[in-house]
Amino acid sequence: MEKVLYLVSLLSFSLMLSQRPKENLKGLDQEINNILDNYKAVGLSVAIVKNDSMIYSKGFGYRDYEKKLPVTPNTLFGIGSNTKSFTSALIGMLEDGKKLSVQDKPSQHIPYLTFSTDRMNNLITIEDLLEHRSGLGSVDGAYIFFPSEKRVDLMQKLPFLKENGEPKNSWRYSNFGYIILGTIAEQLNHKGWDELIKEKIFVPLKMNNSNTSINEMIKQKDFSYPYGMYQKSIERVLFQKPDNDKPGAAINSSATDMANWIRLWLSYGTFENQVVLSKKYTTGAMSTRTVIDGVPPVTSDQKNFLLGYGYGWFTQILKGHYKVWHSGGVSGFSSAVLLFPAEKFGLVVLSNQHNSDIASTIGNMIAIRMLGLDNNTPYSYEMEVNDILKPKKDISSSINEKKKPTHDLEAYCGEYSNKGYGTFTISKEKNNLYITFPTFKFILVHQQYELFSSKIIEEVPQQMNPDFDFNFILDDKGNVNGVTMDIQGGTIFKKTK
């Protein structure tokens, strides 16, 4: 009799566990809609994976706000920096095939690649690039303002780009580091990054709607336009079209496609009985290989602590549970992917709201529910939404008469160059100075003496804030011979014409 009771209890317990995820999803649609309304967001899509199956997928709001076209689980969104784990996977495949080791120096696979210091050249490995420990840090202006025709050509700028941190001993998030990784994958496979992502990831994982091009994305029937908030109003923004930086930001995908990506990682590299990536690499990628913030929790109810990074993934402790995650942001879109390897579940949230943490908020809310930690109460969160960048009307470079420049405006005109970045031109039009990069044109507004600031004069993709200071340099004869741009701690561009 006791044995029968034990079996009945065991079956009841098993049934309870199998039903628990569904029970934790009770009321989820309404809570997501409440958060969507609170953020004044246009739309988003969600998918949840449990035990190698997608147990939930749904679209909310609109993919086209103006025409009121609804988001579906198959709607394509830009996933931004969630692209990095895909580039990491390409490196993992090369290591699995013994074509490289993550302990190799990048120069072993891009022969003419050198960094700006001997210390960087002697220390930096492919693993350091994966973990953002190269010291290179943010040098985004090198490819945003001055793109190269080919990705590999960007490597010629590296000897002239200053380090932003101590190689190996500091953590500095670096998009350029993932550009180098993408270039390594291209060099060793003799194929472009876009082709590699499709051939080695999208096709075997049946991510049939995903792509790496905005031009390709907008040809599809089910895609989202990008949006942001400005003074509490919803506005459509321009698409950002990654080029040199594709390995860190270019993928467009849907919640249902990303569910397959999640299944791969929760199965440690296996998808539908096919080994796509080795267990060794996936385990290492999801490990805390470097600690970013290791301080103890401040309060007993603190949700996240012990922040670290692996190979294209952040790691963290969420209420005592090991969380692997990454967020992404690209003009008009934000995304969040969360994995809980021990509990065998993960989720993705894709949003068309810029400058917003809505994807992470909803992701963490769902995770708390799935972990059974919600106590049947609404998720508590602090909302963060910032205004998009917009050009000001009738902006002009009026001179600060109390602190006038030392020269007539014509003296500041000409070409200015830096080997780590490129060349821009400063010209005078009517009574204003303008600065023209290969990709953008801004007005220069006078602040004081030789100091000007760049301001946008037309709508631009929400890629980065181009509000930089430009402090002109005079030689010993008082002539303008250069300018310091407030980028990477101050970068000098020499006047060449």
Side-chain angles (χ1 to χ4, degrees):
M1 185 65 180
E2 290 181 0
K3 188 174 182 179
V4 172
L5 289 174
Y6 170 76
L7 289 172
V8 171
S9 298
L10 184 62
L11 286 170
S12 298
F13 181 68
S14 299
L15 181 61
M16 180 181 68
L17 286 179
S18 67
Q19 292 176 339
R20 185 174 180 180
K22 294 181 180 179
E23 291 173 356
N24 285 342
L25 300 183
K26 184 179 180 181
L28 177 61
D29 290 7
Q30 186 58 53
E31 188 160 11
I32 290 175
N33 276 316
N34 290 342
I35 294 173
L36 190 72
D37 291 342
N38 195 22
Y39 275 81
K40 293 183 172 61
V42 175
L44 56 88
S45 190
V46 178
I48 304 173
V49 170
K50 176 73 176 179
N51 293 328
D52 202 33
S53 296
M54 185 169 64
I55 64 170
Y56 178 95
S57 64
K58 191 162 186 177
F60 297 83
Y62 302 107
R63 58 185 176 89
D64 185 329
Y65 182 69
E66 292 75 17
K67 294 182 179 179
K68 296 296 183 289
L69 300 178
V71 172
T72 75
N74 294 313
T75 300
L76 293 172
F77 295 79
I79 70 168
S81 283
N82 271 301
T83 299
K84 289 181 171 64
S85 59
F86 287 77
T87 296
S88 167
L90 293 181
I91 296 297
M93 291 172 191
L94 287 168
E95 185 169 63
D96 293 343
K98 303 190 184 306
K99 292 184 178 181
L100 62 69
S101 164
V102 295
Q103 302 308 322
D104 291 347
K105 290 184 170 56
S107 58
Q108 291 176 235
H109 307 291
I110 307 177
Y112 53 81
L113 184 151
T114 58
F115 295 99
S116 61
T117 68
D118 289 340
R119 184 169 176 78
M120 294 178 79
N121 288 323
N122 292 333
L123 290 178
I124 295 172
T125 64
I126 291 173
E127 183 175 58
D128 295 321
L129 297 173
L130 287 164
E131 298 173 11
H132 298 293
R133 289 195 301 125
S134 68
L136 190 59
S138 178
V139 286
D140 296 344
Y143 60 85
I144 293 177
F145 292 132
F146 308 95
S148 295
E149 184 176 347
K150 296 179 181 178
R151 188 170 297 114
V152 70
D153 294 338
L154 275 184
M155 306 303 115
Q156 298 175 25
K157 298 184 178 188
L158 286 170
F160 310 101
L161 295 173
K162 297 179 292 186
E163 64 182 46
N164 286 283
E166 179 69 16
K168 284 195 180 294
N169 295 322
S170 63
W171 190 86
R172 298 287 186 276
Y173 193 85
S174 179
N175 289 310
F176 207 119
Y178 272 76
I179 293 174
I180 299 172
L181 293 169
T183 304
I184 291 172
E186 291 179 323
Q187 294 291 104
L188 291 181
N189 285 291
H190 307 290
K191 293 181 180 180
W193 179 86
D194 301 71
E195 186 179 356
L196 291 171
I197 291 294
K198 181 177 181 179
E199 174 190 308
K200 295 182 177 296
I201 298 177
F202 290 165
V203 171
L205 296 188
K206 301 178 181 179
M207 298 178 69
N208 300 323
N209 295 317
S210 301
N211 58 65
T212 57
S213 163
I214 292 296
N215 290 337
E216 186 177 346
M217 171 179 161
I218 61 178
K219 293 177 183 177
Q220 310 304 312
K221 290 183 178 180
D222 194 353
F223 73 91
S224 175
Y225 284 102
Y227 295 92
M229 296 293 295
Y230 186 75
Q231 296 180 355
K232 300 182 179 180
S233 294
I234 296 168
E235 297 206 15
R236 185 186 290 188
V237 300
L238 296 180
F239 282 110
Q240 180 179 328
K241 297 183 177 181
D243 185 14
N244 291 158
D245 54 332
K246 278 191 170 187
I251 289 176
N252 308 301
S253 191
S254 65
T256 50
D257 274 11
M258 289 297 290
N260 287 351
W261 182 237
I262 290 170
R263 289 171 61 194
L264 176 79
W265 286 91
L266 292 177
S267 298
Y268 290 89
T270 299
F271 179 76
E272 295 183 352
N273 298 317
Q274 177 186 357
V275 176
V276 178
L277 197 56
S278 71
K279 185 174 183 179
K280 177 184 176 184
Y281 188 83
T282 51
T283 300
M286 293 190 288
S287 298
T288 305
R289 307 197 68 87
T290 184
V291 175
I292 302 168
D293 183 3
V295 300
V298 178
T299 63
S300 60
D301 63 346
Q302 184 173 324
K303 295 184 179 70
N304 290 291
F305 57 95
L306 287 178
L307 178 63
Y309 205 85
Y311 299 162
W313 291 106
F314 285 97
T315 63
Q316 207 161 18
I317 304 300
L318 173 66
K319 290 287 189 179
H321 297 266
Y322 190 80
K323 179 176 78 167
V324 180
W325 64 278
H326 214 290
S327 58
V330 68
S331 184
F333 299 103
S334 60
S335 64
V337 178
L338 284 69
L339 311 174
F340 291 84
E343 291 78 13
K344 300 187 185 307
F345 84 87
L347 61 99
V348 58
V349 182
L350 305 176
S351 160
N352 56 16
Q353 185 173 54
H354 189 74
N355 274 355
S356 170
D357 65 345
I358 186 172
S360 295
T361 293
I362 290 176
N364 283 322
M365 177 270 288
I366 295 172
I368 291 292
R369 279 172 163 264
M370 292 290 293
L371 293 168
L373 301 172
D374 59 315
N375 297 318
N376 294 317
T377 59
Y379 182 68
S380 176
Y381 61 93
E382 294 181 6
M383 185 174 65
E384 182 178 338
V385 184
N386 297 311
D387 277 355
I388 58 171
L389 184 69
K390 287 178 65 70
K392 294 182 180 179
K393 295 180 180 179
D394 302 322
I395 189 169
S396 64
S397 181
S398 58
I399 300 298
N400 180 348
E401 293 294 334
K402 293 183 179 180
K403 299 180 179 180
K404 296 173 66 173
T406 56
H407 293 67
D408 292 335
L409 294 183
E410 287 82 356
Y412 302 98
C413 297
E415 287 188 359
Y416 295 79
S417 293
N418 178 283
K419 290 184 178 179
Y421 287 85
T423 300
F424 58 72
T425 302
I426 294 177
S427 58
K428 182 184 176 185
E429 300 175 22
K430 295 183 179 178
N431 294 318
N432 297 316
L433 287 182
Y434 290 85
I435 183 167
T436 304
F437 294 92
T439 50
F440 298 103
K441 182 179 181 179
F442 309 121
I443 192 170
L444 287 178
V445 177
H446 184 245
Q447 304 298 319
Q448 61 177 8
Y449 305 123
E450 316 305 329
L451 180 65
F452 293 74
S453 293
S454 56
K455 307 291 181 183
I456 60 173
I457 51 177
E458 59 186 9
E459 189 178 3
V460 297
Q462 304 293 309
Q463 197 165 2
M464 64 184 297
N465 189 339
D467 187 355
F468 291 100
D469 286 339
F470 291 83
N471 201 352
F472 287 91
I473 303 168
L474 308 181
D475 63 18
D476 54 5
K477 295 181 180 180
N479 297 318
V480 178
N481 72 345
V483 64
T484 300
M485 181 178 178
D486 182 27
I487 192 169
Q488 203 187 356
T491 299
I492 295 174
F493 289 75
K494 290 290 186 180
K495 190 174 184 182
T496 55
K497 289 185 181 179

